[in-house]
Amino acid sequence: MRTDRTAKGLSRRALFGRGTALAAAGVGMAAGGATVGGGLVARALAEEAGNPANLPPHVPEWSKVLGDGVAVRPYGHPSKHEADVIRRDVEWLTASRESSVSFTPLHELDGIITPNGLCFERHHSGIAELDPHDYRLMLHGLVDKPLMFTLEDLKRFPRVNRIHFAECAANSGMEWRGAQMNACQFTHGMIHNVMYTGIPLKILLAEAGLKPNAKWLLLEGADAAAMTRSLPLAKALDDCLIAYRMNGEMLRPENGYPVRIVVPGWEANMWIKWLRRIEVGDAPWHHREETSKYTDLLENGKARRFTYVMDAKSVITNPSPQAPLTHKKGFTVISGIAWSGRGKVKRVDVSLDGGRNWRTAKIDGPVLEKSMVRFYAEFDWDGRELFLQSRAMDETGYVQPTKDELRKVRGLNSVYHNNGIQTWRVSPAGEVENVEIS
Amino acid sequence: MSRFREAAGALLLLAGAAAGTAYAESTKPGASAATPTKVATAPLPAAEAGRVHYGFGREAKPEEIAGWDIDVRPDGQGLPVGRGTARKGEELFIAQCSACHGEFGESTGRWPVLAGGAGTLASHDPVKTIGSYWPYASTVFDYVRRAMPFGNAQSLSNDDVYSIVAYLLYLNDVLLDQDAVLSNESFPKVKLANEDNFIDDDREVSEKSFWKADPCMTNCAAGAPKVTGRARAIDVTPEDGTGPTVE
């Protein structure tokens, strides 16, 4: 059964209305208190949200009638009340939706696993809809024997499970010249973190037998962009996977069904979806996605190429512009994510005063190689203006830089690899906005 | 690693005499019966785990590889036999490409600009085109052949691609004669202006200062924070009514 709904946008009114309802229904904090000049927030806080007919002492409707039975929903959906929790796009960003990006609603998530239906999308010729029976993976070039695999063939190989983040190289790219997108979803949402099931690529390479002069791989997709990237052999033999499952189920079409490559810690453009061909060669191919695109222009007019690794980065997801603070004062949990392509996240620090002073956050949940971690910082908010920042550090000792530190090295036209520290200004009314500060 | 070796060894034992026999083709209804293909690989000692063969899959046939192997490298590897001229390419470009890219590669709307931009890379607003930015002409051939026209990919003949690439190089002042023949033989001699301006990732050197044993924790900046930029002032964030329809 399908029902069409139009999601709410991101207007301030919608945000505050929703936030208020969540606050009251959620953590059960005492609302009320003195009214300040916060307009919508203050007024909404004066009374608890909800329909009195469903509140005690009344018995609500759902306590009296039967609901759907089992398997009425053979593949479940989120509650209709979570209709705002969706991928969104920024129409002016690209010339067409087929070569574009949609963003993960990070501010609506917790923990570290991104639900499959919310994983950001980035296509260059739309979603290829492959018939798994017609799927073939070709492995050829500098190998002893060129091979052709069906999906069933691939599923017979030994498998491993790995949780990794995939972050678009252009994530936060719109922020290079200043604060531009007033939403965490749009400043940081080109990322997802899921568990992949797949075959270590080295097993397939061993199956074909590498020639002594093998140094590079060309990865190619089966979509109409036939996306290609050159991959150094050492990385292929290290930790790359040929994956066919995400979070247990088969890959979603938008994430490469039935097969994609997982290149842990490296820019997601290299994670070729709908993978159809791997060619082994002795030199990089210098294709469009590693020359015209995914090269990073510096101030002097030269450009970096092969900037594979995604450096340590973090962002506070709550509060953030789409998730304002709806209580005026008191105990407050800051929640966010951190990740590094160079290994494990070692530490995350949080600042309430724009980087003047820092406290070390609590990391809760699994801490894995080249995976997101979830951090929390708790404090008593006295109702004052805040400038929230988070700063990640990884096991190599790399510390997430400020945007200005990055700009000093790279200028303003790099487009990619913006891992600078994000600042959210929280107003006394609890409203949150994307700012830059000095 | 050692567990992998044991598992691989066990698999070989299980496979026994059938080791190296692969059952190709899918189980799709109506597909031709699976044909076992003999794979000539003697099982190696388990110590050489990297050389263990499972025997899944089959050998890729030369004609299959030829059909899919469309990539081209800067040294000319992969260039198909063919030829074209900018004069011929102009006709093709007007018919097939100009709706998005403009008649002279100047682009329409927000589609990519393909020509111009010389000398802008170090400016505030760089214009990155084939002529101003791309390092290798081979990339133009490869990309046009694999992905263009947008929405009708892999529809151009090799000669068409040579002609369109010749026209693009002509628009970018790389080729100066619109009747000059661009072919698999002449192509590798073409040089683009920006080839030498790419450097390999040097972050571990140029950004060495980002590795810090003890980042500052207290009194790290003087004075109260001053807001220097606000996304709200730029006002380009999608708002009401821009959410997609949820099915």
Side-chain angles (χ1 to χ4, degrees), chain A residues 92 94 148 177 182 206-207 220 226 277 279 282 285-286 295 303 305 309 356-358 399 410 436 438, chain B residues 50 53-55 58 71 73 110 124 133 139 146 199-200 207 210 217 219-220 226 228-229 236-237:
Chain A
W92 54 259
T94 53
M148 182 78 87
R177 291 198 174 188
N182 207 34
E207 192 68 20
E220 183 181 77
R277 191 166 67 95
E279 182 173 356
D282 59 357
W285 276 259
H286 296 285
T295 51
R305 68 180 175 203
V309 176
R356 273 70 189 153
N357 299 283
W358 298 87
V399 179
R410 306 186 197 167
E436 293 216 2
S438 61
Chain B
H53 291 268
Y54 294 89
R58 61 165 171 84
D71 54 86
R73 278 192 343 194
R110 287 171 301 160
H124 184 68
Y133 191 63
T139 314
R146 76 175 49 251
I199 56 170
D200 286 347
E207 296 175 6
F210 298 168
M217 294 298 285
N219 300 320
C220 307
K226 231 177 64 212
T228 56
V236 291
T237 311

Side-chain angles (χ1 to χ4, degrees), chain A residues 126-414:
Chain A
I127 300 169
E129 295 277 2
L130 271 71
D131 181 329
H133 300 99
D134 296 341
Y135 174 79
R136 293 293 182 277
L137 176 62
M138 186 186 284
L139 171 54
H140 71 109
L142 298 178
V143 295
D144 296 333
K145 183 213 290 266
L147 293 172
M148 182 78 87
F149 301 105
T150 63
L151 183 58
E152 291 309 305
D153 292 333
L154 294 177
K155 286 181 173 179
R156 293 182 65 194
F157 281 97
R159 301 188 279 277
V160 295
N161 293 296
R162 298 283 183 271
I163 297 176
H164 291 299
F165 73 85
E167 184 187 16
C168 179
N171 200 20
S172 312
M174 290 178 279
E175 306 297 300
W176 266 111
R177 291 198 174 188
Q180 181 166 237
M181 305 307 295
N182 207 34
C184 179
Q185 184 164 10
F186 297 135
T187 56
H188 289 77
M190 291 191 223
I191 187 168
H192 52 66
N193 199 70
V194 309
M195 177 180 278
Y196 295 96
T197 305
I199 313 151
L201 177 50
K202 64 183 173 202
I203 290 181
L204 293 189
L205 295 175
E207 192 68 20
L210 292 172
K211 300 274 193 208
N213 55 336
K215 286 197 188 67
W216 289 83
L217 270 55
L218 184 76
L219 311 164
E220 183 181 77
D223 61 319
M227 170 86 75
T228 43
R229 281 297 300 257
S230 302
L231 180 75
L233 179 63
K235 179 66 173 175
L237 295 173
D238 176 18
D239 59 0
C240 290
L241 305 179
I242 302 302
Y244 46 89
R245 294 184 177 275
M246 56 196 287
N247 292 334
E249 65 182 357
M250 288 298 287
L251 298 176
R252 296 286 175 94
E254 56 268 47
N255 300 111
Y257 180 87
V259 175
R260 85 178 303 172
I261 184 167
V262 169
V263 189
W266 288 20
E267 61 188 16
N269 178 258
M270 306 185 75
W271 297 42
I272 301 296
K273 298 186 286 191
W274 313 293
L275 184 72
R276 76 164 194 171
R277 191 166 67 95
I278 300 172
E279 182 173 356
V280 181
D282 59 357
W285 276 259
H286 296 285
H287 276 184
R288 188 251 194 179
E289 305 292 328
E290 54 206 14
T291 55
S292 169
K293 307 297 175 191
Y294 304 95
T295 51
D296 313 358
L297 189 58
L298 302 169
E299 214 162 17
N300 60 6
K302 290 191 182 288
R304 290 177 181 162
R305 68 180 175 203
F306 303 151
T307 45
Y308 301 129
V309 176
M310 300 307 291
D311 275 314
K313 187 170 176 180
S314 66
V315 66
I316 291 168
T317 54
N318 303 78
S320 65
Q322 297 154 285
L325 283 181
T326 51
H327 57 273
K328 286 206 333 295
K329 283 181 184 182
F331 181 77
T332 303
V333 177
I334 291 169
S335 173
I337 47 175
W339 60 95
S340 170
R342 297 187 190 273
K344 288 179 178 155
V345 172
K346 188 165 78 180
R347 192 173 106 193
V348 182
D349 299 326
V350 166
S351 175
L352 307 177
D353 58 8
R356 273 70 189 153
N357 299 283
W358 298 87
R359 63 189 72 192
T360 298
K362 288 194 298 195
I363 293 176
D364 192 83
V367 177
L368 302 164
E369 289 274 323
K370 303 163 192 177
S371 161
M372 264 185 205
V373 301
R374 173 63 57 176
F375 67 85
Y376 300 109
E378 298 158 354
F379 73 109
D380 268 308
W381 185 33
D382 60 8
R384 265 189 299 199
E385 178 184 52
L386 304 169
F387 290 94
L388 301 181
Q389 295 184 338
S390 63
R391 178 180 71 186
M393 187 198 251
D394 70 24
E395 60 186 345
T396 71
Y398 179 99
V399 179
Q400 184 183 0
T402 64
K403 290 196 214 168
D404 285 333
E405 283 175 316
L406 282 176
R407 289 169 184 145
K408 232 172 267 169
V409 185
R410 306 186 197 167
L412 296 174
N413 290 317
S414 274

Side-chain angles (χ1 to χ4, degrees), chain B:
Chain B
M1 199 61 209
S2 63
R3 283 175 56 201
F4 161 69
R5 286 177 196 177
E6 283 164 26
L11 267 174
L12 278 174
L13 288 174
L14 278 175
T21 302
Y23 291 88
E25 299 312 324
S26 69
T27 51
K28 187 176 182 178
S32 59
T35 324
T37 311
K38 195 71 191 137
V39 177
T41 50
L44 289 154
E48 292 184 66
R51 306 279 302 160
V52 164
H53 291 268
Y54 294 89
F56 310 145
R58 61 165 171 84
E59 188 155 5
K61 299 171 188 144
E63 64 271 24
E64 292 176 320
I65 296 172
W68 278 13
D69 182 7
I70 55 171
D71 54 86
V72 180
R73 278 192 343 194
D75 60 2
Q77 188 194 82
L79 277 172
V81 173
R83 62 208 308 276
T85 63
R87 191 184 296 277
K88 176 88 175 92
E90 181 178 20
E91 279 170 48
L92 290 160
F93 193 89
I94 302 294
Q96 303 250 30
C97 321
S98 64
C100 296
H101 293 294
E103 292 188 9
F104 304 99
E106 76 280 14
S107 116
T108 63
R110 287 171 301 160
W111 300 101
V113 182
L114 303 182
T120 63
L121 295 186
S123 72
H124 184 68
D125 294 302
V127 180
K128 299 193 282 186
T129 72
I130 291 166
S132 70
Y133 191 63
W134 291 35
Y136 304 109
S138 59
T139 314
V140 188
F141 189 100
D142 175 90
Y143 183 68
V144 170
R145 179 157 73 150
R146 76 175 49 251
M148 290 290 130
F150 191 64
N152 193 21
Q154 298 195 49
S155 64
L156 298 166
S157 73
N158 290 332
D159 285 357
D160 287 351
V161 178
Y162 276 109
S163 291
I164 287 169
V165 173
Y167 180 64
L168 289 169
L169 296 175
Y170 179 75
L171 289 178
N172 280 288
D173 303 323
V174 180
L175 288 185
L176 302 176
D177 175 1
Q178 56 181 329
D179 292 310
V181 173
L182 188 66
S183 70
N184 47 300
E185 279 155 10
S186 65
F187 197 100
K189 298 192 207 46
V190 176
K191 286 273 178 272
L192 298 187
N194 203 44
E195 180 180 335
D196 297 332
N197 288 321
F198 288 83
I199 56 170
D200 286 347
D201 185 359
D202 65 347
R203 279 176 286 178
E204 290 181 24
V205 176
S206 62
E207 296 175 6
K208 203 170 169 33
S209 64
F210 298 168
W211 276 264
K212 300 167 187 163
D214 293 303
C216 176
M217 294 298 285
T218 51
N219 300 320
C220 307
K226 231 177 64 212
V227 174
T228 56
R230 304 176 71 196
R232 190 173 286 163
I234 293 170
D235 197 24
V236 291
T237 311
E239 287 202 352
D240 271 356
T242 58
T245 300
V246 181
E247 290 194 333

